[in-house]
Amino acid sequence: MGQKKDLTGSEKSKIVRYLAEGCSSLKIAKLLKRDHRTIKRFIQNSQQGRKKRVDKPRRKITAHELRKVKRAAAKMPLATSLAIFQSCNITGVPKSTRCAILRDMAKVRTAERRPPLNKTHKLKRQDWAKKYLKTDFSKVLWTDEMRVSLDGPDGWARGWIGKGQRAPVRLRRQQGGGGVLVWAGIIKDELVGPFRVEDGVKLNSQSYCQFLEDTFFKQWYRKKSASFKKNMIFMQDNAPSHASKYSTAWLARKGIKEEKLMTWPPCSPDLNPIENLWSIIKCEIYKEGKQYTSLNSVWEAVVAAARNVDGEQIKTLTESMDGRLLSVLAKKGGYIGR
């Protein structure tokens, strides 16, 4: 009887069954028409069981080395554990040990995003804060655009997965699968919009003014009283389509000019309370790593999330402006966060 290939799964099951019936290895070999040595080797290996794992002794970290690691972690923000330990000339430490050591003295954080502020920017932010320090911000309409994609911001599809369960499959598409540009405004405790920019339209001065005419002016502004229009201050950032001569002149013809059009300091999204509204909406539409299959579906999600934002939340945002101005002055024009 010649030696054949490895035992199949069904043959191994039969061997176990024959052994339970009291058959010898020689008899099993004859029944399966396999070499006796193959059967005997399988029986011996199965009886031995798994080999116990031998843990290698871990490298001990001295107090002096711990101090070096702590200093390196402070000097190298966002560095990996390997890079931190290598900078201290500490080798032979497994990743699990490195992370356990760093966990006692540091935290895993993502880098904060903030606008690049130079000296001129800071001076202009201070001048802006001084100019509007006595303004009644309940009369200011804060506006901005937001782009929402089908896939949402990177890194939001994370969460706890139960043991034994597989993580859900996430679609991977270029440019986040495409997106929708949304415009909205907030004043006192009221949300204006949101309004959707037509797909494929690039907002330049002309298209921006036409968009405001079709949405903001026709659907909201014209319904307001003359006294409201007289006291309202319109705020927009310094995007090219907003701050161009064409847009400024067009808004002036609509009665929004001089003191009724708020001047805006450069690189200052942290001063606009509507940015916080965008965060609230994005947290809602992308919760649990949700993705969308069409532009219409993500737009409907934005509208639904906006409806769930109540007047008290909006009022909290608009009433935060006094504190933001004081923070800008206290930090000498520096970034204040959101």
Side-chain angles (χ1 to χ4, degrees):
M1 187 183 300
Q3 190 172 0
K4 296 184 180 180
K5 297 180 180 179
D6 291 338
L7 294 168
T8 64
S10 61
E11 286 176 330
K12 291 177 182 179
S13 300
K14 290 179 181 178
I15 293 172
V16 174
R17 189 170 70 249
Y18 290 145
L19 286 173
E21 294 174 357
C23 297
S24 64
S25 59
L26 186 60
K27 184 177 180 180
I28 295 173
K30 290 180 179 180
L31 289 171
L32 298 180
K33 297 181 181 180
R34 297 299 300 261
D35 188 84
H36 176 244
R37 291 169 296 178
T38 303
I39 304 299
K40 196 172 182 180
R41 193 182 305 115
F42 170 75
I43 296 173
Q44 289 175 347
N45 291 340
S46 61
Q47 289 175 347
Q48 286 176 1
R50 287 187 177 183
K51 293 182 180 180
K52 291 185 178 180
R53 178 182 173 181
V54 179
D55 292 328
K56 296 180 181 180
R58 292 188 174 183
R59 187 190 187 290
K60 291 185 178 180
I61 307 296
T62 64
H64 175 65
E65 288 175 330
L66 281 176
R67 290 193 293 271
K68 289 174 66 178
V69 169
K70 190 172 183 179
R71 286 195 296 268
K75 293 179 181 179
M76 302 169 62
L78 303 180
T80 63
S81 63
L82 180 60
I84 291 173
F85 274 71
Q86 285 179 343
S87 68
C88 302
N89 294 322
I90 303 174
T91 59
V93 182
K95 183 179 179 180
S96 58
T97 304
R98 296 197 304 264
C99 292
I101 292 171
L102 288 172
R103 222 173 275 125
D104 293 334
M105 62 182 71
K107 289 183 179 181
V108 177
R109 301 283 295 274
T110 56
E112 292 185 12
R113 294 184 179 182
R114 58 178 60 183
L117 296 176
N118 56 34
K119 187 176 181 180
T120 303
H121 295 157
K122 292 179 180 179
L123 289 174
K124 289 185 176 181
R125 284 162 63 92
Q126 291 182 77
D127 292 341
W128 176 85
K130 292 174 183 177
K131 178 180 179 180
Y132 291 103
L133 196 58
K134 296 182 180 180
T135 302
D136 182 3
F137 288 111
S138 66
K139 303 289 194 301
V140 178
L141 175 67
W142 308 92
T143 71
D144 195 20
E145 295 94 6
M146 168 187 69
R147 178 169 291 278
V148 289
S149 65
L150 299 183
D151 295 343
D154 294 338
W156 282 36
R158 304 182 69 179
W160 294 101
I161 303 294
K163 290 184 177 179
Q165 294 181 338
R166 295 184 63 183
V169 176
R170 185 168 176 81
L171 300 176
R172 185 176 180 181
R173 297 172 284 201
Q174 291 185 350
Q175 303 297 325
V180 174
L181 187 62
V182 181
W183 183 96
I186 54 175
I187 181 169
K188 198 175 180 179
D189 58 354
E190 184 179 356
L191 172 63
V192 182
F195 299 117
R196 177 179 177 177
V197 178
E198 187 178 347
D199 298 339
V201 173
K202 184 177 180 181
L203 282 186
N204 53 30
S205 300
Q206 291 79 9
S207 59
Y208 172 66
C209 293
Q210 186 61 51
F211 171 79
L212 290 181
E213 175 65 31
D214 296 338
T215 55
F216 168 68
F217 282 102
K218 285 185 178 180
Q219 300 182 37
W220 187 82
Y221 189 71
R222 287 182 181 176
K223 300 176 183 178
K224 297 299 180 180
S225 64
S227 60
F228 177 88
K229 295 176 182 178
K230 182 180 178 180
N231 295 320
M232 190 198 80
I233 300 173
F234 187 84
M235 173 271 155
Q236 59 182 2
D237 61 23
N238 295 319
S241 59
H242 301 172
S244 68
K245 292 181 180 179
Y246 180 94
S247 299
T248 304
W250 185 85
L251 287 171
R253 291 196 297 271
K254 293 288 185 179
I256 298 177
K257 57 184 177 179
E258 299 173 353
E259 294 302 318
K260 287 176 60 62
L261 180 62
M262 177 178 281
T263 57
W264 193 248
C267 302
S268 301
D270 55 318
L271 301 180
N272 192 350
I274 201 173
E275 296 288 349
N276 299 88
L277 175 69
W278 295 144
S279 298
I280 293 171
I281 291 176
K282 284 185 176 181
C283 286
E284 178 63 26
I285 66 176
Y286 295 124
K287 64 182 179 182
E288 299 177 0
K290 185 173 177 59
Q291 291 180 290
Y292 298 88
T293 56
S294 68
L295 298 181
N296 287 334
S297 62
V298 72
W299 165 244
E300 290 170 1
V302 169
V303 173
R307 287 174 181 168
N308 290 332
V309 179
D310 58 37
E312 285 300 317
Q313 287 178 286
I314 297 173
K315 190 176 181 181
T316 300
L317 297 180
T318 56
E319 288 182 346
S320 68
M321 287 310 302
D322 291 318
R324 296 185 193 221
L325 267 64
L326 292 174
S327 297
V328 170
L329 294 174
K331 293 191 175 185
K332 298 181 179 181
Y335 182 76
I336 64 170
R338 298 180 187 175

